[in-house]
Amino acid sequence: MQILNLTLEESAEKLYLKIANAIRQAIKNGNASTGEKLPSARTLAAQLSVNRHTVMSAYHELEAQGWVETKERQGYSVAQTLPIYLSLKSNENLNDVSNKHQWRLVKTENNNLQRQASDYQFNFAGGNPDISLFPFNEFRSYVNEAMSRPQINELNYGNNNGFPAFITEVSTYLRRVRAIANKEIIVVNGSQEALYIISQILLKAGDKVAVESLGYRPAWNALKNAGAELIGVKQTKEGIDVEHLEQLFKQHKLRLLYLTPLHQYPTTTTLPAAQRIKVYQLAQQYNVPIIEDDYDHEFHYDSQPLAPMAANDPAGRVIYLSSFSKIMFPGMRLGIIAVDQSLAAHIVNYRTMINHKANVVLQDAVARWMKDGAFERHLRKATRIYQKRRQCMVETLNSFIAEGIELDFTVPPGGMTLWVNVGGNAEEIAKSAQENNIFLLAEKAFHLESKNDENKFIRLGFAGQSEDQITQGLSRLKPFLNRKD
Ligand SMILES: Cc1ncc(COP(=O)(O)O)c(C=O)c1O
C-alpha cells in the first residue's frame, strides 16, 4: 500500500501516539484490512510531513498492541489477527441495525430482480442479439485507432451532442438506409436514456400519454416517472388499432404517443404504411408529438423494412429513437435520437444534468467501424443468420403443430421474436419452462392493464441462440405445451 488516508486528532498527545491512533482507527474502519501491507515509514513520514522516526515509533506502539506486524525487509502490515476484544466491538457496531442509516426514499422502483434470462440454459427472451456473432477482434482495431489518434478537444467537456465523426456516419446511414433527413442527431447512452430525458422535458404530472396496450415496460416506467398517466391503444393483427387511437384522441387531451411501428414490441407486427399515415394525421390534427422507437430496424428479412415515420415528418413532430443494443450488444450503451432542430438543444441541455455526453472513445471507434463498411458487413451477416434462425424456429413449431400441439402464429417479416398463441395456460407454460431452465415470457408480462391478459400468448426470441439451441430448447418445452385433443 502506498497511501493510507489518515486523520490526526487535535490533542495534546505526543505526535507518534496521534499517528498510532489514526492508523488504528483506519484499521478498525476497514480502510486497511488484516494482512494488508501498510505504507513504509518513509512514505508515511513524507505524507504527514513528519520525521521518519516518529512514524516508526507509531508503528512500534501498534506492534506492541497487536495491531501491526513487521517482517524483516517486508515492512509493516496489518496483523493477521486483530486484538480480539476490539474487533468484536467493531463487528458489533457494524451489525447493530439501529446504528445504520435509514434511507428516506422518495422515489423507488420495484424491479423484481429475479434470475437473469441469460442465466438459463435456453434463453428465448425476445430482443436478445447473439453477442457471440459480434466481431470483437475486428472492432478492437477501431478502438485501437481511436486511442492512437485521439481528438483531444472532443475528449474534454463540451460538445454534448455527440462525437462529430460518429454523427456524420449515423446521419449518412439514416439518410441512405432509413430515408431520414432534416433531423438533428443526439448521441445518448442507449434509448432508455432518451426515453427518460424526453419524458422529463415534455411531460407534467397527470399528462396523458397513449402507448401500445401490449408494450415495452421500461419505456412506460420512464413516462410514468415523469408523472404521465398511460392510456393503452388497442391492438390488431397489424399493430395499433388506429380507430381506437382516434377515439382516445377525442376523449382525452393526449400529450404524447409512444410507438414501435416497425416491429411492434412485443408482438413483432408491422404497422402498414396506410395506418402510419393515419396516425401521423391524427397527431397533426391534435398537435401531439410521437416517439417512434425503432429498436431493431435492420433485422427485417423478407423485404426492405418500411421507412420510419420520421422519414415523412414535415411538421417535425416525430422523435426518432434508434439503438446499437441489438446491432452490437446492450452493454455498448449507445443510442441516438433524431429530432427536429427545435427540440434538440432542450434534450442536450437536460441530458447535461444527468451526464455530460456519451462515451467519446466508443463513438470514435464505431464511427471508424461504420466508415470502413465493416458495420454494414456485420449487419448483413447477423441478418442472414437471424433469418435462418427464424426459419428454424418456424419449422420446429410447425412440426409440433403437425404432431397435434396447439400453436398458432404469423411469421413476422422481421424482428427477433415470434408471438405464439398457445391456446391457453400461457403463464403456466412460461413458469414450467423456467423451472426447466428455459427462459420465456407469457403475454402477462407485456400488458399495460392486467385485465386484458387472455393468458394465450408466449413470446419466443429466435435471434439470440443457435439453431441447435433453438431446436433443443423447443423440444424440451414441448411437453408443457397444450395438445389440441
Ligand atoms: C422496445 C425497445 N426499445 C428500446 C430498446 C433498446 O434499449 P436500449 O437502447 O436502452 O438498450 C429495446 C431493447 O430491448 C426495446 O425492446
Side-chain angles (χ1 to χ4, degrees), residues 127 190-192 216 258 260 265 293 295 323 325-326 330 333-334:
S191 331
Q192 191 60 33
Y216 186 53
Y258 167 74
T260 52
Y265 183 98
D293 185 352
Y295 57 101
S323 170
S325 291
K326 318 286 174 183
R333 304 317 305 141
L334 200 54

Side-chain angles (χ1 to χ4, degrees), residues 126-128 188-195 212 215-219 258-260 263-266 293-296 321-326 329-331 333-336 459:
N128 276 5
V188 283
N189 298 288
S191 331
Q192 191 60 33
E193 187 179 272
L195 286 162
E212 295 148 328
Y216 186 53
R217 208 165 286 283
Y258 167 74
L259 295 179
T260 52
H263 302 139
Q264 201 275 331
Y265 183 98
D293 185 352
D294 199 10
Y295 57 101
D296 63 352
L321 308 185
S322 180
S323 170
F324 281 74
S325 291
K326 318 286 174 183
F329 40 84
R333 304 317 305 141
L334 200 54
I336 52 138
R459 191 168 192 244

Side-chain angles (χ1 to χ4, degrees), residues 91-344:
N91 278 343
E92 270 166 23
N93 276 343
L94 279 176
N95 293 333
D96 182 355
V97 176
S98 65
N99 242 355
K100 289 221 159 179
H101 183 73
Q102 300 294 307
W103 302 107
R104 174 181 167 255
L105 296 169
V106 294
K107 267 192 179 181
T108 172
E109 276 291 322
N110 179 6
N111 269 328
N112 255 344
L113 277 183
Q114 291 155 346
R115 194 174 155 196
Q116 284 192 21
S118 54
D119 293 341
Y120 288 75
Q121 186 183 358
F122 300 102
N123 178 3
F124 290 99
N128 276 5
D130 185 345
I131 300 175
S132 70
L133 299 179
F134 186 75
F136 287 99
N137 264 338
E138 173 187 280
F139 188 69
R140 195 176 52 199
S141 66
Y142 297 104
V143 178
N144 280 345
E145 270 183 34
M147 295 309 288
S148 338
R149 290 186 215 104
Q151 290 201 23
I152 303 292
N153 258 349
E154 288 297 329
L155 293 171
N156 216 326
Y157 290 113
N159 180 16
N160 295 335
N161 289 47
F163 185 67
F166 181 60
I167 290 186
T168 304
E169 289 306 318
V170 168
S171 308
T172 310
Y173 182 76
L174 288 188
R175 184 163 33 74
R176 195 162 50 71
V177 179
R178 305 191 194 169
I180 296 176
N182 304 324
K183 295 240 184 260
E184 201 159 307
I185 310 276
I186 300 156
V187 184
V188 283
N189 298 288
S191 331
Q192 191 60 33
E193 187 179 272
L195 286 162
Y196 182 82
I197 297 168
I198 291 158
S199 305
Q200 294 292 322
I201 65 175
L202 293 186
L203 297 172
K204 282 207 293 214
D207 280 353
K208 292 179 175 167
V209 177
V211 298
E212 295 148 328
S213 58
L214 274 162
Y216 186 53
R217 208 165 286 283
W220 297 346
N221 290 342
L223 294 162
K224 282 195 289 190
N225 193 270
E229 184 191 321
L230 304 186
I231 300 183
V233 188
K234 285 187 197 156
Q235 275 158 250
T236 68
K237 281 197 152 51
E238 293 187 325
I240 55 161
D241 178 341
V242 180
E243 273 158 31
H244 185 231
L245 178 64
E246 185 164 13
Q247 279 173 28
L248 294 179
F249 269 118
K250 286 181 185 156
Q251 281 166 14
H252 304 279
K253 173 94 195 101
L254 296 179
R255 291 284 181 185
L256 186 62
L257 187 53
Y258 167 74
L259 295 179
T260 52
L262 183 64
H263 302 139
Q264 201 275 331
Y265 183 98
T267 61
T268 328
T269 51
T270 298
L271 191 66
Q275 309 291 80
R276 291 166 185 236
I277 293 170
K278 282 191 201 152
V279 172
Y280 191 84
Q281 284 168 345
L282 284 172
Q284 185 79 2
Q285 184 182 342
Y286 290 93
N287 193 26
V288 172
I290 302 169
I291 300 179
E292 180 179 26
D293 185 352
D294 199 10
Y295 57 101
D296 63 352
H297 185 94
E298 284 69 20
F299 303 132
H300 209 79
Y301 314 109
D302 302 337
S303 59
Q304 276 281 104
L306 275 181
M309 295 177 72
N312 189 6
D313 176 24
R317 67 176 65 252
V318 179
I319 301 167
Y320 181 78
L321 308 185
S322 180
S323 170
F324 281 74
S325 291
K326 318 286 174 183
I327 303 170
M328 297 180 78
F329 40 84
M332 189 69 188
R333 304 317 305 141
L334 200 54
I336 52 138
I337 312 177
V339 76
D340 192 73
Q341 207 194 357
S342 52
L343 189 62

